[in-house]
Amino acid sequence: MEFQNKEVDALVQKITGLHAAISKLPSLSPCPDVNALFTDLVTACVPPSPVDVTKLGPEAQEMREGLIRLCSEAEGKLEAHYSDMLASFDNPLDHLGVFPYYSNYINLSKLEYELLARYVPGGIVPARVAFIGSGPLPFSSFVLAARHLPDTMFDNYDLCAAANDRASKLFRADKDLGARMSFHTADVADLRGELAAYDVVFLAALVGMAAEDKARVIAHLGAHMADGAALVVRSAHGARGFLYPIVDPEDIGRGGFEVLAVCHPDDDVVNSVIIARKSDDVHADGLQNGRGQCARGMAPVVSPPCRFGEMVVDLSQKREGFATAEVAF
């Protein structure tokens, strides 16, 4: 325990120093100084760690919240930069590999698809999918559409009109994918009837960065998604919680969903994945009739960091007396 405390203290000290250095940068647009500092940050946060960022003291929590906002801003600028670069090609989709983290999106989308296929009752063959927070580089929607869901229509939502304009240009040379990709400038809080049309909704990691904001978004989705529709929420675990918000599965349950599986990759896929299903006992105001996941006292148990896709918390099996299930992808 003492060793773990020292390890956590050393990590928090390192992250605090990187936060201070990043905060002093004149701009977060891609450049050697920005790239070097964020590379150091990711390198520090990705390995498995005993740290529980939700239990840090107030000063460290304030630092972490500020760091996540900086990461969000830097990620947006990085994606805009590469989206503009890709748009200069005759067929941008032939050159997606120029983005340095493209393989991460391939692996993350594969994980999400296979978790959906395994844990959503009856399997998953969605006619329409919504991606909330798609950004200027909608790699997730592209990978899912091109590799896993060849007949599915995708509606991509983002607050930023410029991001949607950039994203739409990437599909101009591909008639099939272009016909299946739509981009909408909207706040998720303003979506109501539209949400009932989707079989699956993906919620990007940086939509609702504060815990209460994320919970509010999830409750809104729970109030307006169709009964039985699937929700995919990106979260974080361990030290990766310095990079992205951590989503409490109980907030998903309180939002009107049954949590089906929670997975924490421990390779270069940074985000955790939570798979949930819209319960059929949620009113339009987002309140449950007492039969939701948390109301049943079935809050999910999250597995420790593990090899990519190897350990999944399967709550349906938990109800039958098993705490975890191993998945071989």
Side-chain angles (χ1 to χ4, degrees):
M1 181 63 71
E2 182 180 352
F3 173 78
Q4 283 193 349
N5 289 339
K6 289 182 178 179
E7 183 180 353
V8 168
D9 290 343
L11 176 64
V12 172
Q13 185 175 359
K14 181 178 181 63
I15 300 298
T16 300
L18 287 168
H19 170 256
I22 292 170
S23 299
K24 294 176 183 177
L25 291 169
S27 169
L28 294 179
S29 296
C31 70
D33 288 344
V34 171
N35 297 346
L37 282 171
F38 278 99
T39 296
D40 288 347
L41 177 64
V42 172
T43 300
C45 293
V46 164
S49 169
V51 67
D52 182 348
V53 299
T54 65
K55 296 181 180 178
L56 296 175
E59 186 175 346
Q61 288 288 4
E62 184 178 358
M63 178 275 294
R64 172 181 169 256
E65 291 169 4
L67 184 58
I68 290 175
R69 288 192 292 270
L70 290 170
C71 289
S72 175
E73 181 181 349
E75 185 173 308
K77 291 181 180 296
L78 181 71
E79 291 190 358
H81 170 79
Y82 277 95
S83 187
D84 290 342
M85 181 188 300
L86 286 166
S88 67
F89 294 104
D90 290 337
N91 189 345
L93 299 183
D94 289 340
H95 303 274
L96 299 182
V98 303
F99 186 69
Y101 307 111
Y102 177 52
S103 63
N104 294 19
Y105 284 92
I106 292 175
N107 292 333
L108 174 58
S109 296
K110 178 177 184 291
L111 172 63
E112 290 172 329
Y113 170 75
E114 292 185 339
L115 287 173
L116 280 167
R118 188 178 185 99
Y119 288 98
V120 172
I124 188 72
V125 186
R128 300 194 72 88
V129 164
F131 197 99
I132 310 296
S134 49
L137 275 183
F139 282 149
S140 296
S141 290
F142 166 75
V143 173
L144 287 164
R147 297 184 175 220
H148 304 295
L149 300 171
D151 300 314
T152 300
M153 304 294 290
F154 286 77
D155 286 326
N156 300 278
Y157 292 92
D158 201 279
L159 278 172
C160 179
N164 285 325
D165 183 58
R166 284 186 166 101
S168 63
K169 292 177 181 177
L170 302 181
F171 295 89
R172 66 178 185 272
D174 191 306
K175 291 183 179 179
D176 171 60
L177 286 170
R180 292 195 287 128
M181 288 284 169
S182 298
F183 297 90
H184 312 275
T185 302
D187 188 329
V188 62
D190 296 327
L191 303 178
R192 289 179 171 77
E194 302 96 323
L195 292 171
Y198 301 114
D199 304 296
V200 184
V201 174
F202 287 80
L203 185 62
L206 293 171
V207 176
M209 286 187 281
E212 58 272 19
D213 295 333
K214 184 80 72 174
R216 190 157 42 244
V217 169
I218 290 169
H220 179 78
L221 294 174
H224 298 286
M225 285 173 58
D227 293 345
L231 176 67
V232 181
V233 179
R234 293 178 178 176
S235 181
H237 186 74
R240 300 170 186 216
F242 286 110
L243 305 173
Y244 291 102
I246 290 178
V247 182
D248 185 347
E250 292 195 18
D251 284 338
I252 298 176
R254 282 188 287 267
F257 295 90
E258 178 185 10
V259 178
L260 303 173
V262 180
C263 183
H264 298 304
D266 71 348
D267 61 358
D268 58 357
V269 175
V270 177
N271 291 115
S272 298
V273 178
I274 303 173
I275 305 295
R277 180 176 179 269
K278 166 69 183 297
S279 300
D280 60 2
D281 53 357
V282 182
H283 300 298
D285 58 5
L287 300 176
Q288 301 182 61
N289 289 332
R291 292 172 50 214
Q293 185 71 45
C294 293
R296 288 195 299 265
M298 298 299 298
V301 178
V302 180
S303 65
C306 50
R307 296 302 301 166
F308 172 75
E310 288 294 317
M311 186 69 72
V312 174
V313 177
D314 178 358
L315 295 182
S316 64
Q317 291 190 355
K318 181 176 183 294
R319 284 193 292 272
E320 298 171 5
F322 296 95
T324 57
E326 186 166 282
V327 182
F329 289 136

